[in-house]
Amino acid sequence: MIANKLQLIGQQALNSVSGFGRAGLMLFGAIVGKPNIRKGLPLLIKQLYVIGVLSLMIILVSGLFIGMVLALQGYTVLVKFGAEGMLGPLVSLSLLRELGPVVTALLFAGRAGSALTAEIGLMKATEQLSGMEMMAVDPLRRIIAPRFWAGVIAMPLLALIFNAVGILGGHLVGVEWLGVDAGSYWSAMQANVDLYQDVLNGVIKSMVFALIVIWIALHKGFDAIPTSEGISRATTQTVVTASLAVLGFDFVLTALMFGG
Amino acid sequence: MSDVLVDIQNLSFSRGDRPIYRDMNMQVIRGKVTAIMGPSGIGKTTLLRLIGGQLKPDSGKIVFDGLNIPTLSRAELYQARKKMSMLFQSGALFTEMSVFDNVAFPLREHTRLPEALIRLVVLMKLESVGLRGARDLMPAELSGGMARRAALARAIALDPELIMYDEPFAGQDPISMGVIVRLIRELNNALGLTSVVVSHDVTEVMSIADYVYVVADKTVIGQGTPEQLRADPSPLVQQFLKGEADGAVPFHYKAAAYEDELMELTK
């Protein structure tokens, strides 16, 4: 009984380790080697559109609302201390350091990650990947690589857009509605936000999250069991695993960057 | 140049613990249509993937055009694959491209031909499968038979030496079946191709093949021209050719004795 349980745990550990290995090999095969600009660039641009531009809407709307909520919640606390002039730094630092990168990554996993997993899983199920291989075209280079780079490029940009729209949303609620002085909103922000400490660290976080989310999404699709059930499970796993990984890495990165 | 394009020697292959092939030998002669028949589930598609280098055998040689496929490096394998192509059972057309772009895909990937010339080649290939008029359709708009013909046009786009058909007749209505039978034969003769057809549709295969291998029980159990095969004394070959439900291959999957299992219920 106990031996069986132990065996099961061992088996699962082995499976996850070999999963890591396959994921590593996939990424290695996709991005290591001489890039072919003539063929690669149009593919990359198309994926930037599909992965990045089409995710803009959800990022814009979420960013706006999160900035508005931050300002509203922050104001009710700050005004008790007569410190509503610090609303600008509150909103901008929360967004730049944490909410921008993290929420963008979570939304990105749901919007683009799940779509990527399903797309690649279906390509596998309909033998398109095998067919490509038999036509002497490497699917890792043709399918995986452009999607990987598009995700890694698009997500930090999306996070920056999310931050900008969030700060505007904070302005909308804090200044236009609740009557915080516009001058103090912006000048306190300017005085308290540091380009390297806050903006750049947020961008670095976002790049790490991009790598994690897109890697998980591509690997889950590429490794999916090519049946309808297998693809549905892979898509769910992408969103769950990527979200948890983002939150976990966020703690580690925050500890490294701001932990003292 | 040797007469044998694909030479399989003492091939053994297993999936996990389950052996698929044991010590199998098979030869595909240049310019001929070679058919591989056998009951479903014995790994006929696996054999094509082995020839294409997508799977590696446990032991044995698979020589394609003088090259032993399992020992090739990645780059050499990709070079060898340009000389072969495979028609998948599903067609495996790229769903996000039109029929035209699907057929143009291998040309655009492997040649630097100007677009005008690519157009010419694509139209020629589509004409030969009768789909020149369907070039702007998307794969989702094609019927099953048309999708397979479009995939066939794509498979011959680079003028390969070897073309492998994976169950080309499965799930086709009698008319598209007839079309595909004719296409396989005609393309083979007109383009000087070598064809390997994997199928279990006995009538169709016997009508086009120059040489037939019957595979079962992990190895080749019968071979010869269609005439020789019809005269084969093996009961397994005869059962397969005539499509009898019970015989050397039993109708029942391995199970405990029927009476015993029924009695268990009443206990």
Side-chain angles (χ1 to χ4, degrees):
Chain A
M1 184 64 190
I2 292 174
N4 275 347
K5 281 264 157 57
L6 278 176
Q7 200 179 17
L8 201 71
I9 293 171
Q11 187 63 47
Q12 274 169 358
L14 283 179
N15 284 346
S16 56
V17 170
S18 78
F20 275 118
R22 285 196 304 275
L25 282 177
M26 181 199 78
L27 196 64
F28 185 83
I31 64 176
V32 175
K34 192 164 62 82
N36 186 335
I37 307 273
R38 186 177 67 89
K39 283 182 200 155
L41 202 60
L43 293 172
L44 178 64
I45 289 171
K46 182 173 175 225
Q47 289 308 321
L48 275 174
Y49 176 75
V50 173
I51 293 177
V53 177
L54 293 184
S55 301
L56 258 181
M57 202 31 140
I58 187 172
I59 293 295
L60 288 175
V61 174
S62 324
L64 185 72
F65 275 100
I66 285 188
M68 280 161 49
V69 168
L70 269 179
L72 201 54
Q73 293 282 15
Y75 180 82
T76 53
V77 176
L78 288 176
V79 80
K80 286 182 189 159
F81 306 97
E84 65 268 29
M86 290 304 278
L87 190 63
L90 176 97
V91 170
S92 57
L93 288 181
S94 319
L95 283 169
L96 288 169
R97 288 183 176 184
E98 283 299 331
L99 289 171
V102 172
V103 176
T104 305
L106 296 179
L107 291 171
F108 189 81
R111 161 68 183 74
S114 57
L116 279 176
T117 304
E119 184 191 18
I120 292 172
L122 269 172
M123 280 184 164
K124 187 178 178 187
T126 52
E127 293 178 314
Q128 292 183 48
L129 295 182
S130 282
M132 202 173 265
E133 220 170 87
M134 286 304 295
M135 281 186 266
V137 176
D138 188 350
L140 290 177
R141 305 300 294 273
R142 186 71 171 54
I143 302 289
I144 302 293
R147 286 165 174 76
F148 177 80
W149 290 120
V152 169
I153 294 170
M155 203 157 96
L157 296 176
L158 288 173
L160 285 176
I161 294 172
F162 185 97
N163 291 337
V165 175
I167 289 170
L168 287 177
H171 180 268
L172 203 65
V173 168
V175 177
E176 307 288 335
W177 182 25
L178 299 171
V180 175
D181 181 54
S184 69
Y185 185 82
W186 293 116
S187 66
M189 193 186 298
Q190 200 177 8
N192 283 290
V193 174
D194 183 71
L195 176 63
Y196 295 103
Q197 176 70 12
D198 302 318
V199 180
L200 199 67
N201 273 341
V203 172
I204 292 173
K205 266 189 181 181
S206 188
M207 284 172 165
V208 175
F209 296 160
L211 197 95
I212 295 169
V213 171
I214 202 89
W215 190 5
I216 289 176
L218 292 172
H219 170 65
K220 292 285 179 198
F222 199 69
D223 221 34
I225 302 162
T227 60
S228 43
E229 196 203 355
I231 292 168
S232 98
R233 196 179 323 148
T235 314
T236 312
Q237 274 178 0
T238 291
V239 178
V240 173
T241 318
S243 305
L244 291 179
V246 163
L247 294 172
F249 269 87
D250 182 46
F251 180 76
V252 175
L253 287 174
T254 306
L256 288 175
M257 289 169 174
F258 308 102
Chain B
M1 198 160 71
S2 144
D3 255 4
V4 180
L5 184 61
V6 183
D7 193 359
I8 297 175
Q9 300 165 12
N10 305 318
L11 172 75
S12 295
F13 178 76
S14 48
R15 273 233 155 98
D17 298 333
R18 199 163 66 95
I20 309 276
Y21 295 119
R22 201 175 289 144
D23 268 334
M24 194 171 67
N25 291 289
M26 193 177 274
Q27 291 187 324
V28 176
I29 309 293
R30 228 177 258 274
K32 303 281 186 202
V33 178
T34 303
I36 299 165
M37 289 201 292
S40 28
I42 51 121
K44 298 189 294 295
T45 308
T46 307
L47 184 63
L48 297 186
R49 289 187 191 273
L50 281 162
I51 297 175
Q54 287 190 319
L55 297 171
K56 281 210 189 309
D58 300 340
S59 65
K61 278 181 162 181
I62 301 167
V63 182
F64 168 76
D65 206 16
L67 304 165
N68 186 14
I69 294 285
T71 61
L72 294 183
S73 73
R74 223 180 121 69
E76 289 169 329
L77 180 62
Y78 270 78
Q79 280 307 314
R81 279 186 188 155
K82 288 183 189 170
K83 292 193 277 182
M84 54 170 97
S85 66
M86 181 156 163
L87 187 70
F88 286 85
Q89 199 170 341
S90 58
L93 291 169
F94 302 129
T95 38
E96 83 282 5
M97 298 179 193
S98 69
V99 169
F100 183 95
D101 289 332
N102 261 289
V103 180
F105 179 84
L107 295 164
R108 288 182 180 144
E109 285 292 324
H110 293 309
T111 69
R112 285 193 160 223
L113 295 177
E115 203 52 30
L117 207 54
I118 286 183
R119 181 172 176 276
L120 214 63
V121 177
V122 171
L123 290 184
M124 277 162 55
K125 301 297 175 188
L126 282 173
E127 173 72 18
S128 66
V129 298
L131 287 182
R132 192 164 43 84
R135 63 176 176 271
D136 293 326
L137 297 182
M138 297 304 280
E141 299 171 274
L142 301 178
S143 72
M146 282 161 79
R148 220 164 281 187
R149 277 149 68 191
L152 183 53
R154 185 178 68 179
I156 58 173
L158 281 177
D159 291 318
E161 291 184 32
L162 174 72
I163 178 161
M164 297 184 277
Y165 299 89
D166 184 10
E167 299 283 3
F169 314 115
Q172 299 287 313
D173 65 71
I175 299 175
S176 35
M177 195 120 115
V179 170
I180 288 173
V181 167
R182 209 186 85 186
L183 274 176
I184 293 177
R185 190 72 248 181
E186 276 181 0
L187 289 176
N188 193 79
N189 296 351
L191 302 179
L193 289 169
T194 304
S195 312
V196 174
V197 182
V198 156
S199 178
H200 48 236
D201 292 281
V202 176
T203 351
E204 284 72 29
V205 167
M206 296 295 253
S207 71
I208 51 167
D210 296 306
Y211 203 82
V212 181
Y213 286 93
V214 181
V215 177
D217 218 7
K218 304 172 190 67
T219 189
V220 173
I221 58 160
Q223 55 174 293
T225 60
E227 291 72 41
Q228 288 169 342
L229 213 56
R230 284 198 185 91
D232 195 294
S234 152
L236 196 53
V237 172
Q238 288 306 321
Q239 185 198 353
F240 183 74
L241 292 183
K242 292 181 185 141
E244 287 154 358
D246 211 350
V249 176
F251 170 72
H252 289 287
Y253 193 80
K254 259 194 307 226
Y258 193 31
E259 293 83 358
D260 296 349
E261 289 215 291
L262 288 182
M263 293 311 282
E264 248 171 58
L265 271 178
T266 58
K267 262 180 205 165

